[in-house]
Structure formats: structure tokens, C-alpha cells
Amino acid sequence: MTDPHAPGAATGAGDRSRPRAVLPALCATQITSWGIVYYAFPVLNPQITADSGWSTGATMAAFSLALVVSGVAGIGVGRIIDRRGPRTVMTAGSVVGVLSLVIVALAPNLPVFFGGWLLGGFAMAATFYQPAFAALTRWWAPDHVRALTIVTLAGGLASTVFAPLTAVLAEQLSWRETYLVLAVVLAAVTIPAHAIVLRPPWPPATPSSASTDASPGAVARSRPFLLLAIAFTLSAFAMYAVVVTLVPLLLERGYTTAQAAWALGLGGAGQTLGRTLYAPLARRTGATVRTATLIALGALTTAALAVTPGPYGLVVAASIAAGAVRGNLTLLQATAITDRWGTRHYGRLSAILSAPAMTAAALAPFAAAALASVLGGYPELFGVLAGLAAASACVATATSVRGES
């Protein structure tokens, strides 16, 4: 009988002991978790503010709090997954996610609404990409890039599936009833999938050519890690600021709301396209070159949006290109730890690396709007964001470590 804890079991490419049901299960739970816990909110928020009388700034602050909590809580989640595997954490996260949505739906006042999203942040930390990436990186190594690509392609469908579904529900129900229905869907899909499918034995980390003897604390204090965290944080701020301000940019240039929405939506399609290109890119480039190049391309596409007032087809093309870069950056961050420091402490190190970037993403909507006002318009804002991304690409050139893949 094959030892489930042998390095080849459940990990080697093509090994029959690999837990094959895990990948489709995580695809389903990522679509559902992202679609309900994350993407339903922007669809429902106008109805929430109109019905409750709470300001848009207040409700957005509650949602942003969840994103910040997710980044911080993810460090502890990663540590647990490194030691015990993903099943308990992700199942508990699904339960907490359902509870958070019920609290949000029934919130009689703004403090309770904030409390529901506070719990939602813990649910995000335990069910979104980071724990799924940690699970697939350990179970699928050394072929984890293919598995990560598949699950992010699935996750990219979350808004496509659940934004329209949420809108349809909201036409027939109140926002509170809609959230209760979505909580039932979240429970039905994610709790049994995480509890039943994530049962295979947790294998030891596979050997890596990178230096993996250092403790996670020593790695996190090292110069390459700190510089990588700075590069990803600056890049994440620029990237999410572009996403949330693309529609205002196009409206300022005279396009209709429908045209702006289509440009943004097609940029999302570009993300899916970009993710299909990452595996060939990873085979042909080293980690440091790949990191600096992709972040630099993000700066270039942002600059293109800043200086391209039209025609509309060219604006859409720039948005699709920017989306393709964003899709690659998701996978770049998912593989950054493995490429440099191996899989042994992947969950913890990946969470530490992503925490400041997630905080920057949470602050981006408010900061971008404020910067646009100070700078005198959205084209000027996009110019500054392009410069910020270019600076992060320069920082990324100094993130190499000995033995990186």
C-alpha cells in the first residue's frame, strides 16, 4: 500500500494518489464564496443604503473592515494550514461566513452591520484564495501552477455568476431577504464540500531547490521578502485603484455609463485570458524577472489608460490588456513563496506577504477618490498610479534569493 505521507503521494504530477476531487471542489467553493461574500455586496449596497438610511461611506467602511481583517487573520490561518491541512479551517470559515451574512441581513443598526462584516473578514481569510492556494500548493506540488491556474479561472467566474443572480434576487426580494437566500446557498455548497472533500492526508512539504531551512520568521525578516512585500503592496494599491476608478475616468471623458461598464466588464474577461498565459510564462522566466516584468506591464497598461481618451475601441483594448496583467498578478503572488522559499511554510509566509497588499486594496477606493480630487481629475490619478506601479517594479528587481525557481 502506498504511504500517504510519502513525498510522492498525493503530490507528484500524474500520481493516482493525488486527491483529484479536491480541485473541482475548490473551484466550486471559490466561485460560491467569492460570489456571495464579496461580489454580492456592491450589487446590494445601493439598496442597503436606500432602505437603512446608512451612508454609502459607512457601509463601504464596514466592507473594507472585512478586507483588512481578512489580511491580518490570514496569517494565523496560514500557520494552521501548514501544520494540519485545510479541512478544519476552511469548513469553519464556511460556517462563519454563513453566520456573518445572517448577522448582516438581520442587522438592526450600523454597529451590528459592522459586526457582521467583522466576522465576514475571518470567513474571507479562511475560505478565499489564500487557503485554497496553500492546499493546492502542498497537494499538487510540483505541478501546482496548473492547479492554481484552474482554480483562479473558476474564481474569475464568481462575479459572472453571482452578480447577475444577486441582482435578480434583489428585484424580487429585499436586500435582507436576498442575503438570507445567499447564506443558504453558501452553506449548501461550501460547508459539505470543505468538510467532506478536504479529507485526504496532509502530505509533507516537497523538497525544493530553494533554501527552506530558515524559519518562517527569519524568511519574513529577510531583505528579499520585505522588498517583495513592498512591491506587491504598491502594485496592489495601484491595481485596485485602477479597477474602482475606471468607470469614473471614462465618465469624465464623456462616455456613457453603459460604455464604461462594458469596458470594465471586458477588463474582467481579460483577467481570465491572462491567467491562461501564466503557466507558459512561468516555464520560461525566473521568479524575479517574471515579477518585475508583470508589475511593469501593469504600470504600462495604467499609463495607456491615462493617456488614451479614445476612440472607444482603443480604450476597451487597453482595459482588456490591463485585465490580462491583473490575472497574471494573482498567480504571480500565489507562486511567489514557492518559487523562492519552497512549500514548507507556504501558508504562513504567503499570508504574511499578502496581508499588507490586501490592506492596500481595502484602502484603494477611498484613497483613489481623494487623490483624484486633489490632482484635479482621473487622468492625472491614473498617471500617478502608473508611476507607483513602475516604482514597485523597480523594487521587485531586488527580490531574488539563492536557488529560486
Side-chain angles (χ1 to χ4, degrees), residues 95-171:
V95 174
V96 172
V98 172
L99 179 61
S100 73
L101 293 184
V102 171
I103 292 173
V104 166
L106 301 179
N109 51 50
L110 199 54
V112 176
F113 186 80
F114 266 79
W117 281 114
L118 179 67
L119 278 181
F122 288 102
M124 292 176 185
T127 60
F128 278 12
Y129 277 147
Q130 288 303 320
F133 288 166
L136 293 174
T137 296
R138 182 71 68 89
W139 268 321
W140 255 255
D143 191 29
H144 54 282
V145 172
R146 185 176 73 89
L148 295 175
T149 301
I150 291 171
V151 83
T152 55
L153 288 173
L157 297 174
S159 61
T160 306
V161 173
F162 280 96
L165 175 61
T166 301
V168 170
L169 288 173
E171 289 177 357

Side-chain angles (χ1 to χ4, degrees), residues 17-214:
S17 60
R18 174 182 291 168
R20 298 184 185 277
V22 166
L23 185 55
L26 287 177
C27 287
T29 61
Q30 288 301 301
I31 292 174
T32 307
S33 297
W34 276 98
I36 291 176
V37 181
Y38 187 92
Y39 286 108
F41 175 77
V43 176
L44 293 175
N45 196 41
Q47 192 175 344
I48 293 172
T49 56
D51 176 68
S52 65
W54 305 329
S55 70
T56 300
T59 56
M60 283 294 296
F63 188 68
S64 295
L65 172 66
L67 297 176
V68 174
V69 169
S70 174
V72 176
I75 298 172
V77 168
R79 184 185 296 113
I80 294 171
I81 290 177
D82 282 339
R83 294 176 180 174
R84 302 179 183 176
R87 182 184 177 221
T88 300
V89 167
M90 296 191 77
T91 303
S94 294
V95 174
V96 172
V98 172
L99 179 61
S100 73
L101 293 184
V102 171
I103 292 173
V104 166
L106 301 179
N109 51 50
L110 199 54
V112 176
F113 186 80
F114 266 79
W117 281 114
L118 179 67
L119 278 181
F122 288 102
M124 292 176 185
T127 60
F128 278 12
Y129 277 147
Q130 288 303 320
F133 288 166
L136 293 174
T137 296
R138 182 71 68 89
W139 268 321
W140 255 255
D143 191 29
H144 54 282
V145 172
R146 185 176 73 89
L148 295 175
T149 301
I150 291 171
V151 83
T152 55
L153 288 173
L157 297 174
S159 61
T160 306
V161 173
F162 280 96
L165 175 61
T166 301
V168 170
L169 288 173
E171 289 177 357
Q172 308 298 323
L173 306 169
S174 70
W175 69 269
R176 296 180 186 274
E177 292 167 335
T178 299
Y179 260 134
L180 290 174
V181 171
L182 292 175
V184 172
V185 175
L186 185 69
V189 174
T190 65
I191 294 175
H194 290 152
I196 296 171
V197 180
L198 302 183
R199 285 184 170 183
W202 190 232
T206 55
S208 170
S209 59
S211 175
T212 57
D213 294 332

